[in-house]
């Protein structure tokens, strides 16, 4: 028996979750929520939920793997067994190994790693709940966690996927759109350089669609970038308030 594929864009031009083609999912970001990491951040993008912890810069062990001119940056992207609809095996998969590498490469250009020779920076990305777009949301949150760790950055990295569903270009695909759509193009964007540090493509786009998708992706990343800056401001306002409250307590 043939199954009928669900339409991903309705007669009003809206997507499965009611969004317009250029509309992001609801996004929440929080910076500095883990007491035991040097820096941390949490992001909710639609139903995807991700937490990132950063350690470092700290001394390299064993010492001989240290680099004389810059810090080593390591990254682990990991999906919790309970993050997917079918329990995911806790063992690292090929996909997780690949994503760990490309996420590290997306973040490296903004880190002043030359300030920290013979040291290392560790980035742990834990996907708690997955509904598509986790590599991008992981990058967005990881750059916040790096900033929270006090690591000097040239800029933040904002990431978002653009794709094609039912022949239409759409931003920030959810899992259904990612799986059922015709194309998925994750993009990580560095505003200060007007450059992409990650650009992947699953599926097919025409040349014209590709350039339009790139433009839509850039706009979506810039919206995310504003939210990142807001999340960092909130973190520093809280620190300022607690310092001021502490000073008042001392005076009392
Ligand atoms: P992204 O999360 O960046 O879109 P993919 O396109 O590779 O990455 O994956 C899309 C979605 O597929 C994931 O967000 C997740 O919901 C699902 N998925 C990926 N790997 C697994 C897995 N091992 N088991 C179940 N679902 C998975």
């Amino acid at each position: 028996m043939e199954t009928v594929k669900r339409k991903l864009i309705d007669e009003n031009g809206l997507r499965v979750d009611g969004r317009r083609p250029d509309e992001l999912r609801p996004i929440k970001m929080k910076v500095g929520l883990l007491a035991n990491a040097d820096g941390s951040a949490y992001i909710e993008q639609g139903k995807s939920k991700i937490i990132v912890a950063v350690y470092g810069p700290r001394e390299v062990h064993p010492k001989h793997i240290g680099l004389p001119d810059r810090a080593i940056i390591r990254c682990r992207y990991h999906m919790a067994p309970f993050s997917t609809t079918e329990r995911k095996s806790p063992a690292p998969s090929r996909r997780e190994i690949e994503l760990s590498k490309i996420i590290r490469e997306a973040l490296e250009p903004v880190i002043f790693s030359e300030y920290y020779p013979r040291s290392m920076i560790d980035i742990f990305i834990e996907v708690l709940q997955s509904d598509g777009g986790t590599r991008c949301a992981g990058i967005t949150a990881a750059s916040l966690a790096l900033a929270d760790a006090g690591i000097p950055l040239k800029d933040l990295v904002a990431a978002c996927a653009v794709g094609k569903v039912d022949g239409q270009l759409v931003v920030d695909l959810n899992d259904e759109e990612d799986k059922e759509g015709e194309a998925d193009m994750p993009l990580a964007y560095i505003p200060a350089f007007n450059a992409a540090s990650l650009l992947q493509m699953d599926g097919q786009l025409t040349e014209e669609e590709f350039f339009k998708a790139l433009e839509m992706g850039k706009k979506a990343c810039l919206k995310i970038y504003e939210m990142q800056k807001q999340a960092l401001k909130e973190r520093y306002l809280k620190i300022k308030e607690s310092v001021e409250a502490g000073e008042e307590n001392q005076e009392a």
Side-chain angles (χ1 to χ4, degrees):
M1 199 176 71
E2 241 183 78
T3 51
V4 184
K5 203 176 144 233
R6 182 152 101 106
K7 277 181 74 177
L8 296 173
I9 304 272
D10 71 10
E11 50 287 350
N12 300 317
L14 298 179
R15 297 156 66 181
V16 280
D17 49 12
R19 280 184 291 155
R20 295 184 309 276
D22 63 348
E23 194 175 335
L24 294 168
R25 292 177 283 182
I27 299 179
K28 271 193 225 161
M29 297 178 194
K30 194 167 165 39
V31 181
L33 60 150
L34 299 176
N36 299 330
D38 294 319
S40 57
Y42 172 72
I43 186 164
E44 259 180 50
Q45 190 153 344
K47 289 186 210 145
S48 292
K49 298 182 181 182
I50 301 167
I51 195 156
V52 181
V54 165
Y55 287 91
R58 57 180 172 175
E59 211 174 303
V60 179
H61 286 291
K63 272 193 173 157
H64 71 266
I65 66 166
L67 301 173
D69 57 344
R70 67 196 140 94
I72 299 174
I73 297 159
R74 301 194 303 189
C75 176
R76 189 188 76 171
Y77 164 100
H78 178 250
M79 277 175 124
F82 50 80
S83 65
T84 51
T85 36
E86 293 263 317
R87 176 187 170 275
K88 186 207 149 275
S89 156
S93 63
R94 285 181 61 143
R95 176 179 170 274
E96 286 169 306
I97 294 167
E98 182 216 324
L99 291 200
S100 300
K101 176 181 180 284
I102 56 117
I103 292 173
R104 172 174 55 74
E105 289 171 351
L107 295 164
E108 266 172 345
V110 297
I111 303 173
F112 280 101
S113 51
E114 62 273 26
Y115 288 3
Y116 304 102
R118 294 189 175 82
S119 57
M120 65 182 181
I121 297 168
D122 276 305
I123 305 164
F124 295 100
I125 300 176
E126 292 292 323
V127 179
L128 305 178
Q129 189 166 287
S130 168
D131 187 41
T134 58
R135 75 192 64 198
C136 289
I139 291 169
T140 301
S143 60
L144 287 177
L146 285 164
D148 185 43
I151 294 169
L153 301 177
K154 296 169 191 171
D155 199 0
L156 295 167
V157 188
C160 187
V162 192
K164 186 165 130 187
V165 300
D166 286 356
Q168 273 244 25
L169 292 178
V170 297
V171 303
D172 192 18
L173 291 84
N174 65 25
D175 200 29
E176 186 179 358
E177 292 174 321
D178 184 336
K179 294 210 168 88
E180 304 295 328
E182 294 103 77
D184 170 31
M185 188 179 88
L187 166 72
Y189 180 66
I190 305 171
F193 305 157
N194 188 26
S197 59
L198 168 81
L199 185 61
Q200 293 182 299
M201 170 81 85
D202 189 7
Q204 282 187 344
L205 294 177
T206 64
E207 190 179 335
E208 193 189 339
E209 283 169 342
F210 168 76
F211 285 108
K212 190 165 173 227
L214 205 54
E215 217 31 59
M216 285 172 78
K218 193 173 137 178
K219 275 199 189 136
C221 287
L222 285 171
K223 286 185 198 162
I224 292 173
Y225 183 58
E226 289 308 313
M227 294 180 214
Q228 286 176 303
K229 288 194 285 187
Q230 192 54 39
L232 277 176
K233 265 190 208 150
E234 277 163 25
R235 164 75 170 147
Y236 289 114
L237 274 176
K238 275 217 181 96
I239 294 176
K240 185 169 168 257
E241 276 165 20
S242 64
V243 169
E244 282 169 359
E247 276 168 8
E248 270 168 31
N249 287 345
Q250 273 178 7
E251 278 166 24

